Amino acid sequence: MKAVCWHGSTDVRVDTIPDPKILNPRDAIVKITSTAICGSDLHIYDGYIPTMEKGDVLGHEFMGEIVEVGSSVKNVKIGDRVVVPFTIACGSCFFCQKKLTSLCDNSNPNAWVAETLMGYTPSGLFGYSHMLGGYAGGQAEYARVPFADFGLFKIPDGLTDEQVLFLTDIFPTGYMAAENCNIQPDDIVAIWGCGPVGQFAIKSAYMLGASRVIAIDRVPERLQMAKDQCKAEVLNYEEVDVGEALKEMTGGRGPDACMDAVGMEAHGKGLEGFYDEAKQALRLETDRPTALRQVIVACRKGGTVSIPGVYGGFIDKMPMGAAMNKGLTFKMGQTHVHRYLQPLLEHIQNGDIDPSFVITHRMKLEEAPHGYEIFKHKKDNCIKVVLNP
Ligand SMILES: [Zn+2]
Ligand SMILES: [Zn+2]
């Protein structure tokens, strides 16, 4: 089959590799009809995710049709049209039973690597390094899905791939990030980062009752989308002092919740930006937390900080004094996709939201290297790329 394979920093290629096989009686094989490139794929693309190996298949946002099932699979069958959560979960461990599926204890065969770095391992992820399971991803013609009974969700007739594809990650991720803001009536939420997750976070914050959402970015077409499609008030951080602007917009009190939907490759300004870029380049700091620092400082006293942005390792110059003295609450984590998938599917069916609004580019799987290139450099107004094998 054809698959998008990682070969090193900014080097992805479409290779021909062996088709996946059933390895465990609980597996299924999915023939992929649609898959997408995610902002978190760019952290791999840029070489910042450890334990990637040459030839690893990328991609964790994919859907398609079941073409083969293992002998103990009961809930799904050949021919079913399904979406696949990017977090791999067993459905029966301590964490899965608490619906914390991104923390599943049974889906990372390389748990010891993550345990060395983090104490305990999160769940395995598709296409996201050997430390997180070494599973082949879904930017391919076929993928093997473990725990098929728990990890495959059937799609009802009448919905297009583009309407449901983002249930695999970015829609639930934006939604959980908004839920993590602990939104109360009349709350003002500020969101750093207007990539696809940021866009879904804005819509979700309104769905959960926020009175105002203020979105921060520097890319004009992303700010435009946040304003036109998601009804956010927007700030361009290259044009205004975000901290001052937020104070003014909130009567001097600050936003009730602040969200970092940027993560480890934030762009910094001035000396601080130089410090982080230099330290990260020398691998003295794994992540650049510019957005996170601003989020902590801008949040009102007693407010909530929500972090859907991906961090991989260690950060410097955390304003811990601000966080502690202002009494902030922090909520974060990889998304418990399985918990949100069905309710959000119902929102799509009811017509409350059509997630396809974020798609700016559609291309064939073979064109993936070009897709990564324009997405990374935000060329051609690229916000979200969908690949069709
Ligand atoms: Zn993703
Ligand atoms: Zn589990």
Side-chain angles (χ1 to χ4, degrees), residues 37-41 60-61 86 169-170 384:
I37 305 176
C38 179
S40 54
D41 291 328
H60 58 267
E61 301 180 352
F86 78 99
D169 177 1
I170 55 175
K384 187 72 181 176

Side-chain angles (χ1 to χ4, degrees), residues 82-388:
V82 289
V83 293
V84 188
F86 78 99
T87 44
I88 301 171
C90 75
S92 46
C93 71
F94 174 88
F95 296 98
C96 286
Q97 296 219 321
K98 291 184 183 301
K99 298 190 175 166
L100 302 171
T101 55
S102 74
L103 306 175
C104 175
D105 248 348
N106 289 328
S107 59
N108 184 0
N110 301 328
W112 67 274
V113 189
E115 281 166 2
T116 307
L117 195 67
M118 304 182 198
Y120 301 93
T121 184
S123 76
L125 304 181
F126 287 103
Y128 220 81
S129 84
H130 289 264
M131 179 175 77
L132 296 174
Y135 292 98
Q139 288 165 9
E141 290 180 299
Y142 296 89
R144 178 179 78 93
V145 178
F147 307 112
D149 279 334
F150 190 66
L152 290 174
F153 288 72
K154 282 189 242 181
I155 294 303
D157 292 337
L159 295 169
T160 64
D161 275 23
E162 292 189 354
Q163 282 176 293
V164 297
L165 174 61
F166 303 136
L167 288 168
T168 58
D169 177 1
I170 55 175
F171 183 18
T173 296
Y175 190 87
M176 184 171 115
E179 207 177 67
N180 278 346
C181 286
N182 184 30
I183 295 167
Q184 307 297 313
D186 296 328
D187 268 5
I188 303 174
V189 178
I191 297 176
W192 275 250
C194 296
V197 168
Q199 304 286 343
F200 284 112
I202 299 167
K203 286 212 183 229
S204 301
Y206 282 125
M207 283 161 72
L208 291 166
S211 71
R212 292 167 64 194
V213 181
I214 303 165
I216 299 136
D217 205 297
R218 63 168 181 167
V219 182
E221 60 271 17
R222 292 177 180 225
L223 290 167
Q224 198 69 42
M225 183 182 271
K227 198 166 141 191
D228 296 347
Q229 302 273 359
C230 306
K231 312 289 176 231
E233 298 165 56
V234 297
L235 294 174
N236 183 331
Y237 70 79
E238 290 193 329
E239 290 168 3
V240 297
D241 180 321
V242 171
E244 285 305 312
L246 286 173
K247 262 187 192 167
E248 248 169 58
M249 293 166 88
T250 57
R253 192 163 65 196
D256 301 286
C258 289
M259 183 188 299
D260 170 5
V262 177
M264 63 193 283
E265 288 185 75
H267 293 273
K269 286 203 289 192
L271 188 61
E272 182 194 330
F274 174 76
Y275 172 87
D276 286 314
E277 295 222 3
K279 282 203 82 166
Q280 192 181 44
L282 294 169
R283 298 299 191 268
L284 293 171
E285 174 182 50
T286 55
D287 304 8
R288 303 195 303 259
T290 314
L292 182 57
R293 291 189 194 116
Q294 289 180 12
V295 158
I296 292 169
V297 173
C299 194
R300 79 152 162 82
K301 293 183 281 184
T304 303
V305 167
S306 165
I307 312 172
V310 172
Y311 287 89
F314 300 91
I315 58 175
D316 280 8
K317 305 280 184 282
M318 262 279 277
M320 205 58 206
M324 189 276 163
N325 287 288
K326 292 199 295 178
L328 302 184
T329 299
F330 280 64
K331 297 271 282 178
M332 63 193 89
Q334 296 282 7
T335 311
H336 308 303
V337 179
H338 302 68
R339 177 185 354 178
Y340 296 97
L341 207 146
Q342 196 60 39
L344 294 182
L345 175 62
E346 281 161 27
H347 276 300
I348 297 170
Q349 279 184 292
N350 296 340
D352 303 331
I353 182 169
D354 179 353
S356 64
F357 76 93
V358 292
I359 303 171
T360 53
H361 289 72
R362 298 165 174 86
M363 49 187 83
K364 290 196 181 318
L365 188 72
E366 288 81 354
E367 296 170 275
H370 175 64
Y372 272 88
E373 157 81 14
I374 61 168
F375 182 43
K376 174 183 162 61
H377 296 287
K378 299 168 178 80
K379 284 184 196 162
D380 193 23
N381 296 343
C382 181
I383 295 177
K384 187 72 181 176
V385 181
V386 170
L387 304 167
N388 296 110

Side-chain angles (χ1 to χ4, degrees), residues 1-3 5 13-19 141:
M1 68 164 182
K2 290 202 170 64
C5 297
R13 302 175 203 167
V14 179
D15 292 340
T16 301
I17 61 167
D19 289 356
E141 290 180 299

